Amino acid sequence: MRRIGVVATAAAIGLALTACSGGGDGGGDGDEGGGGGTDVEVFTWWAAGSELTGLEALEAVFAEQHPDFTFVNGAVAGGAGSAAKDLLQTRLQAGDPPDTFQAHAGAELTDYIAAGQLEDVSDLYTEFGLTDAFPQDLIDLLTVDGNIYSVPSNIHRSNVVWANPTVLESAGIDPAAVPADIDAWIADLETVQATGVTALSVATTWTQVHLLETVLMADLGAEAYIGLWNGETDWTGAEVTGALEHFETLMSFTNTDRDGLDWPEATQMVIDGTAAYNVMGDWAVAAFEEQGVERGAGFVDFPVPGSDGQFGFLADSFTLPVGAPNPDGATAWLETVGSLEGQVAFNQAKGSIPARTDADPADFSEYQQSAIESYANDAIVPSLAHGAASPIAVLNAVSDATSKFTTGGSDLATYQQELAAAVG
Ligand code: GAL
């Protein structure tokens, strides 16, 4: 089975090496504040809630390591970059790039590279001692023709169910008993729905695509799921039809106001007990933790039924755009992003796991330790909704087809044809 990720054992991750070179002295190369001015515009979609808290944790390390530069928050609200990515494209095409922007490792990053919008930062890997800091398979996703185009900040898992144990218990479901597959889960969803609570919360289109990718993982298995992206699995085949039928059934258990919500509201429904389950990437854990909701008593998590043994992979990374107004400032930001101190602070707040392999798992929550273990041992499969599996244009076409389907504009056969055409 092809893995796009890394085989890094938890033990290897536990072998703490040295802290990053160069970071923490606040001095950089001595040029700070010169040339491009002191402002460093950091463009992300981490605009609110636990995502903003994560960004602020990184900002604090940046301020400590590079006090001569000023962090300027260029965040554009909208989960998964649903608004940010379009705006970014407009700015890049107008020759108005931010100093650095967030991009997903994998096909999404390759888009920007192919468009000539990113500088090669491989020299910085040497300068900051990053070459051995990240798993080789992750570096491969950031590399084109031997050049590396960004510095990863974190790794998230997409295929996670978050559930409210109190709601499950009131429906007579044992929160510790994880359904074996989507059919078994649907039986539980029916039981919950009969109690009058929203069984499964979801939000706007991108979260529906997120749900879809996890159902495809669960129903097809790792190898056939990966085949969807390398041409080996037929999008018009019966396996995909079965997964889409499951997706349709799952959507029938969701809240009707979904299209007006973003992920924090959908996850909040589980926190508040107005929904039993939510499928979301593990940035959701930061929302539970931020509100003091504890794993076990306040929430339970498990891989989307049927996808156990797979790690739905996505990684955020930061770039140096061609024409960045303050390349020195952006370079300083990239140094902080890649530093051990930056990765520990950021990921503790964000719910993700460090991309660096020398972070100590003991510094992270119980949930995150489980993600570190899954990343080390499971099949790594690329996320569709978060730029690992497909270029932005493909994701946009998948999103349009999904929105049409879930708002009643197409039937399942048409939806499947449109997905097949979108991926090409
Ligand atoms: C993903 C991103 C995560 C998280 C999520 C929700 O695309 O990689 O870091 O922010 O969107 O907005």
Side-chain angles (χ1 to χ4, degrees):
M1 177 174 307
R2 187 177 141 224
R3 288 170 65 93
I4 65 152
V6 65
V7 183
T9 63
I13 289 169
L15 288 178
L17 303 174
T18 54
C20 88
S21 64
D25 60 7
D29 59 10
D31 288 343
E32 294 195 352
T38 61
D39 284 357
V40 185
E41 188 197 354
V42 177
F43 185 99
T44 69
W45 51 86
W46 298 329
S50 56
E51 295 183 310
L52 176 59
T53 308
L55 182 59
E56 284 170 347
L58 200 49
E59 179 190 348
V61 178
F62 181 61
E64 195 186 297
Q65 293 183 345
H66 298 284
D68 298 336
F69 284 119
T70 310
F71 170 92
V72 175
N73 191 346
V76 174
S82 44
K85 284 193 275 185
D86 282 350
L87 190 69
L88 175 66
Q89 206 43 254
T90 306
R91 285 187 58 177
L92 293 177
Q93 277 166 15
D96 173 34
D99 293 306
T100 181
F101 65 82
Q102 170 189 5
H104 287 122
E108 179 183 309
L109 188 79
T110 311
D111 269 353
Y112 298 114
I113 299 169
Q117 291 163 330
L118 297 183
E119 298 283 359
D120 168 22
V121 295
S122 29
D123 284 354
L124 299 183
Y125 272 67
T126 316
E127 190 182 335
F128 302 147
L130 299 178
T131 313
D132 299 323
F134 302 115
Q136 188 56 48
D137 288 354
L138 175 54
I139 291 191
D140 289 348
L141 287 173
L142 309 174
T143 303
V144 168
D145 292 337
N147 299 326
I148 310 176
Y149 289 91
S150 65
V151 176
S153 50
N154 61 308
I155 294 168
H156 272 301
R157 186 178 194 186
S158 73
N159 56 323
V160 188
V161 177
W162 309 90
N164 183 312
T166 311
V167 173
L168 295 187
E169 270 160 11
S170 339
I173 294 167
D174 175 5
V178 177
D181 54 22
I182 301 274
D183 283 327
W185 189 30
I186 286 171
D188 286 351
L189 285 158
E190 275 164 1
T191 307
V192 172
Q193 195 178 42
T195 69
V197 174
T198 296
L200 176 63
S201 66
V202 78
T204 190
T205 306
W206 78 262
T207 69
Q208 299 168 24
V209 174
H210 185 114
L211 176 64
L212 171 69
E213 80 176 34
T214 67
V215 175
L216 289 166
M217 289 170 194
D219 281 356
L220 272 64
E223 202 169 342
Y225 174 82
I226 288 171
L228 291 172
W229 311 112
N230 65 18
E232 281 170 20
T233 300
D234 182 4
W235 273 92
T236 63
E239 268 184 305
V240 173
T241 310
L244 297 182
E245 283 165 1
H246 271 156
F247 174 66
E248 182 174 34
T249 305
L250 291 176
M251 285 298 296
S252 74
F253 292 106
T254 63
N255 42 306
T256 49
D257 61 350
R258 61 201 180 209
D259 288 310
L261 310 181
D262 206 335
W263 80 264
E265 291 90 44
T267 301
Q268 192 65 38
M269 289 175 73
V270 171
I271 297 175
D272 293 344
T274 54
Y277 302 99
N278 174 230
V279 171
M280 193 35 59
D282 56 11
W283 43 91
V285 78
F288 286 99
E289 285 168 358
E290 198 169 58
Q291 295 175 55
V293 181
E294 283 182 20
R295 192 175 193 229
F299 73 95
V300 293
D301 55 86
F302 49 86
V304 168
S307 75
D308 198 8
Q310 296 178 57
F311 186 100
F313 164 92
L314 64 127
D316 296 298
S317 69
F318 282 88
T319 59
L320 176 56
V322 169
N326 187 354
D328 289 346
T331 299
W333 174 257
L334 296 182
E335 183 175 12
T336 295
V337 167
S339 70
L340 182 60
E341 195 188 348
Q343 300 234 329
V344 170
F346 174 65
N347 286 290
Q348 279 175 339
K350 185 70 164 56
S352 36
I353 60 176
R356 288 185 71 110
T357 55
D358 57 356
D360 184 351
D363 288 339
F364 296 89
S365 71
E366 194 187 291
Y367 167 76
Q368 286 166 308
Q369 291 182 26
S370 77
I372 289 171
E373 230 182 278
S374 164
Y375 183 63
N377 299 313
D378 289 346
I380 309 293
V381 294
S383 165
L384 158 66
H386 307 280
S390 74
I392 293 174
V394 171
L395 174 57
N396 287 345
V398 167
S399 301
D400 288 349
T402 301
S403 165
K404 195 170 148 192
F405 178 62
T406 62
T407 56
S410 57
D411 61 14
L412 196 134
T414 308
Y415 181 37
Q416 184 165 6
Q417 286 304 329
E418 288 182 355
L419 290 177
V423 180

